[in-house]
Amino acid sequence: MLETHIYQETKQTDVEVSLYIHLSVFSGYFLSKSHYIVVAFQKLGKQEWLKTARKKAAWVVERAKENGGYTFDVLPNWLFNPSFLRGTAGVGYQLLRLVSPELLPSVLIWE
């Protein structure tokens, strides 16, 4: 699993992270899952992972613009959710981490 291999570089890790990037965008939860991609980039230095994650995050932002905002499964779409872990504050934080991962710590592992 990606979480267990993130600290050591192997061919399996490379394949897992690449698959994770490409499949997670289809799950609708890409920004929350992009946390693992950023940590993998920080630990293993694969610049292409971060570039791909940024492109996919841009797609998520464009989709939100088209839909009139971000959607969250826990609340109806018409209700604004400013919370950190499951709301717009968390979306903003993760987008900032994708731009400058070295400036903001991971809130899940505090590194």
Side-chain angles (χ1 to χ4, degrees), residues 97-110:
R97 266 188 54 74
L98 283 165
V99 171
S100 297
E102 68 283 354
L103 295 179
L104 297 169
S106 162
V107 296
L108 298 179
I109 60 174
W110 289 112

Side-chain angles (χ1 to χ4, degrees), residues 84-99:
F84 187 76
L85 290 179
R86 299 188 131 201
T88 54
V91 168
Y93 190 85
Q94 191 57 28
L95 288 173
L96 288 171
R97 266 188 54 74
L98 283 165
V99 171

Side-chain angles (χ1 to χ4, degrees), residues 3 12-13 16 18 22 32 51 53 65 75 79 81 86 93-94 96 99 107:
E3 295 86 355
Q12 181 180 349
T13 304
E16 286 178 358
S18 296
H22 294 290
S32 63
K51 286 180 183 178
K65 286 180 186 177
L75 295 172
L79 187 61
N81 181 5
R86 299 188 131 201
Y93 190 85
Q94 191 57 28
L96 288 171
V99 171
V107 296

Side-chain angles (χ1 to χ4, degrees), residues 9-21:
E9 184 173 8
T10 64
K11 286 187 180 194
Q12 181 180 349
T13 304
D14 193 45
V15 170
E16 286 178 358
V17 173
S18 296
L19 264 164
Y20 196 77
I21 290 170

